[in-house]
């Protein structure tokens, strides 16, 4: 078997933790300690985050989307595939090195997605972008950390707190969608979403997008 090769490391802003980018043949992995945050072979649930949200806003002629977390670009590429040419997508990525990896060692995975005229990459905390806008987005897609239970950065918890959900709701247009990816279920988070005034649908999806593999959770929360 081909051994894993460490390609690069990157410090997570606001922490002493490091991300590690590893490669084995054409397979890539991003690790935090012993936890694998993402793998290039497992894209199904991240892609579903985009397709499920896009379905809810399919009648919007010129949709504005905010994606929190670039990762390996699965959510971005899925959004580009299903949205029309009048869509505008802002991708917020906190770790600058992740953007550099997308343009460098993982460029083959990303293809032309970062150069698509519909896409704007912001090296910024998605929380700051959400709080800076009102009635701006038709959909906010969050693939930040491991879901509502923060793993990489304690400050990410603010995204999923009552005040964070209130800010997301304020940034959405009427009928807008907050879509949240998680590695597993979280009943208190579902309750917080409803408490913030969202209609909530909790969807279980496979990591591979097919019949096998781990189950992940996507919340599709619609602004009343």
């Amino acid at each position: 078997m081909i051994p894993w090769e460490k390609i690069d490391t990157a410090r997570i802003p606001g922490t002493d933790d490091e991300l590690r980018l590893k490669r084995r043949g054409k397979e890539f992995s991003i690790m935090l300690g012993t936890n694998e945050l993402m793998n290039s072979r497992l894209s199904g649930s991240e892609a579903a985050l985009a397709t499920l949200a896009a379905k809810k806003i399919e009648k919007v002629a010129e949709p504005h989307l905010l994606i929190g977390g670039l990762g390996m670009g699965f959510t971005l590429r899925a959004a580009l595939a299903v949205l029309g040419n009048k869509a505008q997508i802002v991708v917020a990525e906190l770790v600058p090195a992740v953007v550099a990896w997308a343009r460098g060692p993982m460029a083959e995975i990303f293809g032309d997605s970062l150069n698509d005229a519909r896409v704007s990459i912001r090296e910024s905390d998605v929380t700051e972008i959400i709080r800076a806008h009102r009635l701006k987005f038709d959909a906010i897609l969050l693939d930040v950390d491991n879901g509502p239970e923060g793993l990489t950065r304690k400050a990410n918890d603010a995204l999923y707190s009552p005040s964070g959900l209130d800010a997301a709701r304020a940034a959405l247009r009427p009928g807008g969608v907050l879509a949240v990816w998680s590695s597993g279920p979280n009943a208190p988070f579902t309750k917080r979403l409803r408490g913030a005034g969202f209609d909530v649908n909790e969807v279980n999806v496979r990591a591979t997008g097919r019949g096998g593999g781990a189950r992940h959770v996507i919340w599709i929360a619609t602004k009343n």
Side-chain angles (χ1 to χ4, degrees):
M1 180 178 289
I2 302 173
W4 283 103
E5 173 191 5
K6 185 172 75 173
I7 302 299
D8 197 11
T9 62
R11 182 67 54 86
I12 301 172
T15 78
D16 293 326
D17 296 322
E18 278 189 341
L19 297 178
R20 288 176 290 127
L21 176 65
K22 299 169 65 178
R23 179 172 58 200
R24 182 173 62 186
K26 292 187 176 182
E27 179 184 359
F28 288 88
S29 174
I30 295 180
M31 303 283 296
L32 173 68
T34 59
N35 295 296
E36 184 176 62
L37 299 182
M38 59 200 76
N39 185 291
S40 59
R41 294 186 297 105
L42 304 174
S43 61
S45 60
E46 288 86 352
L49 180 66
T51 54
L52 290 170
K55 183 68 175 177
K56 297 290 289 186
I57 60 169
E58 61 184 351
K59 294 182 180 179
V60 179
E62 299 181 12
H64 285 59
L65 277 72
L66 171 62
I67 298 176
L70 175 61
M72 292 186 176
F74 300 127
T75 301
L76 172 60
R77 294 195 297 282
L80 289 171
V82 296
L83 295 172
N85 58 15
K86 293 185 178 180
Q88 295 184 33
I89 304 174
V90 176
V91 182
E93 173 53 56
L94 181 69
V95 184
V98 172
V99 180
W101 295 344
R103 299 187 185 280
M106 292 194 294
E108 186 175 345
I109 295 175
F110 278 81
D112 295 329
S113 61
L114 298 184
N115 298 320
D116 192 296
R118 296 170 288 176
V119 176
S120 173
I121 305 294
R122 298 275 298 277
E123 294 181 3
S124 176
D125 188 335
V126 69
T127 304
E128 295 176 2
I129 296 177
I130 290 172
R131 292 187 181 278
H133 293 91
R134 291 184 64 83
L135 302 175
K136 171 71 173 178
F137 302 106
D138 298 292
I140 297 173
L141 283 54
L142 298 179
D143 184 4
V144 176
D145 212 319
N146 228 30
E149 293 294 334
L151 179 67
T152 65
R153 184 170 176 261
K154 191 64 178 174
N156 288 334
D157 291 346
L159 269 174
Y160 308 109
S161 68
S163 64
L165 296 179
D166 287 343
R169 191 173 187 279
L172 287 168
R173 295 170 175 169
V177 174
L178 174 65
V180 180
W181 182 95
S182 176
S183 60
N186 188 307
F189 180 63
T190 302
K191 185 176 180 180
R192 290 200 300 275
L193 282 168
R194 293 195 172 108
F198 288 100
D199 289 333
V200 182
N201 184 23
E202 188 174 328
V203 184
N204 290 296
V205 293
R206 294 286 190 179
T208 59
R210 297 184 294 275
R215 289 185 182 273
H216 296 157
V217 176
I218 295 172
W219 287 273
I220 300 295
T222 306
K223 178 177 179 178
N224 295 323

